[in-house]
Amino acid sequence: MSIELSKEVIASGASKLRRRKDEKLENFLERITHLKLQRRQIQSLNFLNLCKKLVALYLYENLILKMTNLSACHNLTYIYLQDNQIGRLEGIGKLKFLSKLFIGRNKIVVVEGLHELPNLTELHIEHQHLPPGEKLLFDPRSIATISKTVKKLNVAGNGLTSIMDFTSLACIEKLDVSHNRLTDLNEFGLVFGHSRTLHTLNVVGNPFCSLMKYVEEVVTQIPHLNAIDGREFNETQRAFLLNWKTVLQKRAQDSDNSKKSNKKKTLSRPSIKYVKVWSWLKLYVKTDFFVCLFWFIISISNQVVLFLSFFQRRQGVSVKPRFKSRLRSITHSPVLPPISGPANTNTTKITAATTSTTAVESKSMHATPTPSSSMKLRQRSLQSLSHKALPLSSTHINTAVMK
């Protein structure tokens, strides 16, 4: 059951201070410096503006919905409002001396309203009850202001996927980003690689924690880190880890160089898978070349032979005659039957002449006379045949054929 904050309730929660007998309640409330009202089911912050000298306020594990009536407490330095139902940071802009703000496990979505707090050194805003799939957002003005003063920051369990918003944190000493959704280890080196103040870090519960040697990797990225996830490191261990990292980097560089050289070799030579194909291709090219060379030699030899034969023919020399005789041989010449009477003598003369010419031709074919002698023999045989065939008339030939 929730209750309203009244003057009596405030007076009952005063710590390190007692009310005098004749002192009015309002005067007593003005003298209160530490107010402890935790676990009271308080829903609203009424009459807190009467506590003008309030330094520390303990209101955790209540049902508070809004941060009201705090602007009059100018000396307020510590606020504990964990485990409430606060949805927005408001009403604290005039608290110039506020140094510690504990407001974890509420319903805050955006961290804002902190740009007017120049002395804030600790901010604990862990495990906010966010909608599904949402993450905690930071106002750039608030981050720019607190980056100069905040030394302890707790943003655990807020669905963060990156820590790049914390790049400007120049005075950070302790950082808790555990149980978020961080996946990139290199961001720690980018954000806190030059930090000289960060010495304690908590990253447990993030996805990159499943990697081997993630602790050593983070330690080598942040130069002055002394403890991570409760594990402490001294200077000797740090020096060993740095040497180990340099060795790994050198090995990685050597492997990259070897890969590049192997790539060049593979570009200059065929891979093992295609050696057979490459050999067959070279063999095919060689065989094609030899075939072309063979046909080229044959064609050149034919041209040479033709040229030599033409040259010999121009000089009148023929090794092998390329023509056939125009005169018929005896076997193919028609045999005329003998003609009775006076024509018989002529036919006998014709047959004798033809036999003599065929004999001369056969002798000339089997013999190897010179070109001049063969031509003379042909001319003589033709002349003798023409002279001997003149007495034979057409009438005699027709009568012989009719018989």
Side-chain angles (χ1 to χ4, degrees):
M1 181 178 179
S2 61
I3 61 173
E4 296 292 333
L5 188 61
S6 60
K7 295 179 181 179
E8 290 76 12
V9 175
I10 294 174
S12 64
S15 176
K16 299 180 181 181
L17 188 63
R18 290 183 179 180
R19 182 183 176 183
R20 300 185 187 127
K21 293 182 180 180
D22 299 332
E23 188 179 10
K24 292 182 180 181
L25 184 58
E26 289 78 7
N27 295 332
F28 176 70
L29 295 179
E30 289 180 0
R31 293 192 303 111
I32 295 175
T33 57
H34 293 74
L35 186 60
K36 295 184 178 180
L37 296 173
Q38 65 272 16
R39 302 185 185 94
R40 295 285 187 95
Q41 302 295 318
I42 299 172
Q43 191 172 2
S44 61
L45 301 178
N46 299 325
F47 304 105
L48 274 180
N49 53 353
L50 299 175
C51 304
K52 295 181 180 180
K53 295 183 179 180
L54 189 62
V55 176
L57 178 61
Y58 299 88
L59 285 171
Y60 55 88
E61 296 182 12
N62 283 290
L63 301 175
I64 300 171
L65 299 175
K66 290 183 179 181
M67 299 172 64
T68 57
N69 297 320
L70 293 175
S71 59
C73 305
H74 300 290
N75 297 320
L76 194 58
T77 307
Y78 310 105
I79 296 178
Y80 298 86
L81 289 171
Q82 307 97 304
D83 296 291
N84 282 281
Q85 298 181 7
I86 300 171
R88 185 178 179 182
L89 283 172
E90 57 185 355
I92 58 176
K94 295 182 180 181
L95 305 178
K96 303 299 181 180
F97 296 99
L98 184 63
S99 62
K100 295 182 181 180
L101 179 59
F102 294 82
I103 196 167
R105 291 178 293 276
N106 280 278
K107 296 183 179 180
I108 298 172
V109 180
V110 180
V111 179
E112 57 185 353
L114 304 179
H115 57 279
E116 296 179 356
L117 304 177
N119 295 314
L120 187 64
T121 57
E122 293 187 20
L123 177 61
H124 301 264
I125 194 168
E126 72 281 359
H127 296 286
Q128 297 297 315
H129 302 292
L130 300 170
E134 295 291 333
K135 65 178 181 179
L136 187 66
L137 303 176
F138 292 87
D139 181 25
R141 293 188 303 170
S142 300
I143 287 292
T145 302
I146 67 176
S147 62
K148 301 175 183 179
T149 57
V150 169
K151 297 180 179 180
K152 295 181 181 180
L153 179 62
N154 187 357
V155 290
N158 288 318
L160 299 179
T161 58
S162 176
I163 59 172
M164 298 304 294
D165 293 333
F166 308 144
T167 306
S168 59
L169 296 178
C171 301
I172 191 70
E173 295 178 359
K174 294 182 180 181
L175 178 64
D176 190 351
V177 290
S178 60
H179 302 287
N180 282 289
R181 297 199 296 266
L182 302 177
T183 57
D184 193 1
L185 275 173
N186 297 323
E187 286 188 354
F188 290 94
L190 295 174
V191 176
F192 303 110
H194 301 284
S195 177
R196 296 183 178 181
T197 57
L198 183 62
H199 56 78
T200 304
L201 181 64
N202 190 9
V203 297
V204 68
N206 284 285
F208 64 76
C209 294
S210 59
L211 301 175
M212 294 181 63
K213 304 290 184 181
Y214 79 93
V215 174
E216 290 79 1
E217 186 68 25
V218 174
V219 169
T220 54
Q221 290 183 11
I222 303 173
H224 297 279
L225 191 65
N226 296 328
I228 177 172
D229 294 339
R231 181 179 174 184
E232 295 183 356
F233 292 88
N234 53 25
E235 293 299 329
T236 305
Q237 292 174 342
R238 183 185 299 279
F240 173 76
L241 292 176
L242 289 173
N243 293 331
W244 169 74
K245 187 176 181 179
T246 54
V247 169
L248 290 182
Q249 289 178 352
K250 188 175 180 181
R251 288 181 181 177
Q253 188 176 2
D254 294 340
S255 64
D256 292 337
N257 294 332
S258 63
K259 286 180 181 179
K260 289 180 181 179
S261 61
N262 290 332
K263 283 184 180 179
K264 291 181 180 179
K265 290 180 180 179
T266 53
L267 289 174
S268 61
R269 296 181 180 180
S271 60
I272 299 174
K273 295 182 181 179
Y274 302 102
V275 167
K276 292 185 178 180
V277 177
W278 181 251
S279 62
W280 281 108
L281 182 61
K282 290 196 293 185
L283 181 61
Y284 174 74
V285 172
K286 287 182 180 179
T287 53
D288 195 6
F289 171 74
F290 284 118
V291 168
C292 292
L293 182 63
F294 175 73
W295 285 112
F296 176 73
I297 293 171
I298 289 176
S299 62
I300 291 296
S301 62
N302 288 333
Q303 294 293 330
V304 170
V305 170
L306 289 175
F307 177 76
L308 291 175
S309 63
F310 177 75
F311 184 74
Q312 291 176 357
R313 204 179 295 170
R314 287 292 298 271
Q315 290 183 352
V317 179
S318 61
V319 178
K320 186 177 180 180
R322 291 179 176 272
F323 57 88
K324 292 182 180 181
S325 177
R326 295 181 180 177
L327 299 176
R328 295 181 180 181
S329 60
I330 299 173
T331 57
H332 295 286
S333 60
V335 180
L336 298 176
I339 301 173
S340 61
N344 194 3
T345 57
N346 294 329
T347 55
T348 54
K349 291 178 182 179
I350 293 170
T351 55
T354 54
T355 53
S356 65
T357 55
T358 54
V360 170
E361 284 184 358
S362 62
K363 288 180 181 181
S364 64
M365 290 293 291
H366 292 287
T368 57
T370 61
S372 59
S373 62
S374 63
M375 293 295 290
K376 289 178 181 180
L377 286 174
R378 287 178 185 173
Q379 291 178 0
R380 290 176 182 175
S381 62
L382 290 172
Q383 289 177 1
S384 63
L385 180 62
S386 61
H387 288 295
K388 291 178 181 180
L390 285 174
L392 188 61
S393 63
S394 61
T395 57
H396 291 92
I397 294 171
N398 291 330
T399 54
V401 170
M402 291 296 291
K403 290 180 180 181

